[in-house]
Amino acid sequence: MTAERFSALCVAASCLLALRRATGTRRASRRAAALLRGPGAAPGSGGPGRETAARWWAAARGRPEWLCLPAAGLIALLGESPLPLVAGALAVPLARGRLGAARRRKEREALAGRVVALCETAGGELRAGRQPGPALAYAARRTGALGPEEARVLAAVGFGGDVPEALRTAARREGAEGLAGLAACWQVAVDGGAGLAAGLDRLEAALRERHERREGLRAELAGAWATVAVLAALPVAGIGMGAAMGAEPLRVLLHTPAGVACLLLGCGLEAVGLWWAARIVRGGGGDAE
């Protein structure tokens, strides 16, 4: 079996695997197909091309890391070598980890914003004349900042339980650390008779300032991350320019011993460079990432 035929079989296998992964997102695929067909169109009027495009779009949205396999398959076909498929398979877990970290960071930021909204809403309800218990319950239901601990906290509020302890338990989630401050404000207001509304106002101001500082620092670091991305793309751009000039860089890199050695060394240096650049940017950003 020639390398080209083997690469074609590997590409077909990777495409079938990606389609199988997309079966868990059939509902999203149907929605995407409906959008591609347009309003008023029959369910089957989109044609097989649009249905396939919708399925691939749904798979890309649900599991984008699996797109490494078709990309690697394309390079394997162009270079007539199975080595890019191996690299694509190794890139899938790395991409999944990176995308998972980015998704967790976004969820953490969204939760921190909901905690700020919780303090703001509860403080407004207290200033409007509501009692602390109903005010906290209303703010929790409206913002959803308590998450899975909402029932426990509201039960403590309604039945005279330990509300500060319930809030501290809810504060253990990443992004919900501000609930520990709410627990302290609640405990001081109940035990010492201090104004809960004033404490919530100060807590909201502190959390909002911290959130804005993190956002500003992240905006300043966007240029550094863009530089890292450009530096990471330069080797790929160089290979593309060489192919456009007729130098056949894929043949040299994938079919000659010196080319394979240069490819492995270059990939290693690229990985070390990316790790070091990301470490420098994250170090300068503190807890912004």
Side-chain angles (χ1 to χ4, degrees), residues 41 67 123 131 180 228 267:
L67 292 180
Q131 294 298 315
V228 172
C267 290

Side-chain angles (χ1 to χ4, degrees), residues 219-234:
E220 293 178 0
L221 291 175
W225 282 114
T227 302
V228 172
V230 170
L231 292 176
L234 284 179

Side-chain angles (χ1 to χ4, degrees), residues 21-174:
R21 290 283 178 176
T23 56
T25 56
R26 289 179 179 176
R27 184 175 300 177
S29 175
R30 287 195 294 268
R31 288 200 299 265
L35 290 175
L36 289 173
R37 286 193 299 266
S45 61
R50 290 189 176 183
E51 292 289 343
T52 304
R55 177 167 295 184
W56 276 104
W57 172 250
R61 294 188 62 184
R63 296 288 182 87
E65 65 271 11
W66 288 102
L67 292 180
C68 295
L69 292 179
L74 178 61
I75 298 175
L77 280 179
L78 294 176
E80 299 182 357
S81 172
L83 291 180
L85 285 174
V86 178
L90 294 176
V92 170
L94 298 177
R96 182 187 296 120
R98 181 60 183 170
L99 292 173
R103 183 169 55 251
R104 288 190 297 272
R105 179 178 60 82
K106 291 182 180 179
E107 293 173 354
R108 183 170 63 249
E109 293 174 356
L111 181 56
R114 290 197 295 270
V115 171
V116 175
L118 171 69
C119 297
E120 180 182 7
T121 304
E125 292 298 311
L126 289 171
R127 286 189 296 271
R130 274 197 176 187
Q131 294 298 315
L136 179 60
Y138 173 78
R141 294 191 183 98
R142 183 170 182 178
T143 60
L146 300 180
E149 297 293 331
E150 180 177 332
R152 179 179 178 181
V153 174
L154 296 186
V157 169
F159 297 101
D162 193 347
V163 178
E165 181 60 28
L167 289 172
R168 292 189 191 97
T169 302
R172 294 173 183 171
R173 292 181 299 156
E174 293 186 359

